[in-house]
Amino acid sequence: MIFIPYLTENFLKYFLFLLICFFIFLLSGSANAYSEKDLKKITSKLRCMTCQNQSIHDSDADFSKDIKKIIVQKLENGHTEKEIIKFLVKRYGEYIVFEPQMNIKNYFLWFFPFVILAISLIFLIFRIKKN
Amino acid sequence: MKRIILIIPFVLTLIVSGFLLFYLLQDKDPKKPPSALLNEDIPKIEIPDLFNEKNFLTNVDFKDKLILVNFFASWCAPCKVEHPLFFKIKEDHPSLFIIGVDYKDLKNDALDYLKKDGNPYNFVGYDKQGLIGLEFGVFGLPETFLINKKGKIIYKHLGPLDKKIIENDIYPLLN
């Protein structure tokens, strides 16, 4: 009975210490995992400018390594995916992204299939009505 | 009305073909992606001097000057091929301010290279980590940029320069 409070006090201290360590580990672990996931997501959307149609994520070229480093720095500084892609497009042009961006130059590319579809539907409705 | 509707697909096909033909005839080289910075202002930069890293070249120094910026490195074989041509450019256009930027290189290797092959540049910058190159959208060496007196990038060449490129593309822009 005398021994128990002594053990309990030490045990509580030890337990508290472990708990803090666990939370620190958990927080750092989750932050890295998030960054890795984010890094993969962003780098998969970017083209390695010095490779044959490879993404920055898949490439081990020096250029890709440099861009990965820059993206990691930007992620650590709290930049969003949109901001990072905008930063790179400003310097390397739209060629660095696999998916064409939604801007005035690409409206034709994005919307023309829908225009064709709409016209085809009108044409089809007109034909059906006639028949 | 019926005739107009029947003509629409034909007209649309013509428009699409016209667009495609226009882009095909633009003589685009897939190996040379367009530069995002062409016709844009030069990025805000501070280039440390290779010979004395306490000295910097900033955007203020770019004012009212025709500038040729050449990214090179001692480890870059094509840079060595184009290197003597910068002496010729300097001789033909003494008023042109030629900047060499030593990109991701060892300082001593770059100094040895310039000592051995000569220094045709008015200023040699040192871009140890490639951050200046990043601002210029550099991804392969050598790369050369021509900046007009208003501070706009008016020409970019990816790869080594040769006499034909200098005479046909760069010299007309200098005059």
Side-chain angles (χ1 to χ4, degrees), chain A:
Chain A
M1 283 300 281
I2 303 161
F3 216 59
I4 291 167
Y6 173 75
L7 257 181
T8 312
E9 196 185 326
N10 266 350
F11 176 76
L12 273 173
K13 276 180 188 170
Y14 186 65
F15 181 74
L16 203 69
F17 173 74
L18 275 179
L19 203 70
I20 290 165
C21 286
F22 176 73
F23 274 111
I24 289 169
F25 172 76
L26 208 68
L27 280 173
S28 62
S30 65
N32 284 340
Y34 178 76
S35 290
E36 281 298 317
K37 194 182 158 192
D38 227 25
L39 181 69
K40 190 184 172 185
K41 194 183 163 202
I42 297 169
T43 50
S44 301
K45 288 179 181 179
L46 299 168
R47 186 196 310 272
C48 165
M49 306 276 281
T50 54
C51 320
Q52 293 278 340
N53 211 31
Q54 247 186 331
S55 74
I56 293 216
H57 175 72
D58 296 328
S59 163
D60 280 326
D62 278 351
F63 173 77
S64 300
K65 284 178 187 169
D66 287 347
I67 298 295
K68 277 176 201 166
K69 263 189 219 167
I70 289 155
I71 296 171
V72 167
Q73 278 174 13
K74 297 234 167 246
L75 282 172
E76 281 171 354
N77 290 335
H79 288 84
T80 62
E81 182 189 320
K82 206 177 166 184
E83 284 168 344
I84 294 167
I85 288 178
K86 197 180 165 190
F87 171 87
L88 291 168
V89 167
K90 197 181 168 192
R91 280 147 187 87
Y92 293 100
E94 221 179 295
Y95 186 77
I96 201 167
V97 284
F98 281 115
E99 193 176 88
Q101 295 201 307
M102 188 74 88
N103 58 31
I104 197 155
K105 279 194 283 180
N106 295 329
Y107 281 159
F108 177 79
L109 193 70
W110 280 99
F111 297 116
F112 197 70
F114 298 106
V115 173
I116 292 276
L117 185 72
I119 292 168
S120 308
L121 279 173
I122 293 166
F123 185 74
L124 193 74
I125 291 163
F126 182 81
R127 293 286 294 179
I128 290 167
K129 268 190 176 179
K130 192 121 199 255
N131 290 336

Side-chain angles (χ1 to χ4, degrees), chain B residues 37-54:
Chain B
L37 293 169
L38 211 58
N39 300 317
E40 295 286 328
D41 290 334
I42 44 163
K44 280 185 184 171
I45 40 164
E46 264 193 352
I47 314 174
D49 191 336
L50 177 76
F51 300 102
N52 180 8
E53 281 185 61
K54 285 175 188 170

Side-chain angles (χ1 to χ4, degrees), chain B residues 90-107:
Chain B
K90 201 177 174 183
E91 196 184 310
D92 293 344
H93 292 271
S95 63
L96 180 70
F97 194 77
I98 307 176
I99 299 172
V101 182
D102 182 38
Y103 179 77
K104 295 174 87 178
D105 201 359
L106 293 172
K107 194 177 177 178

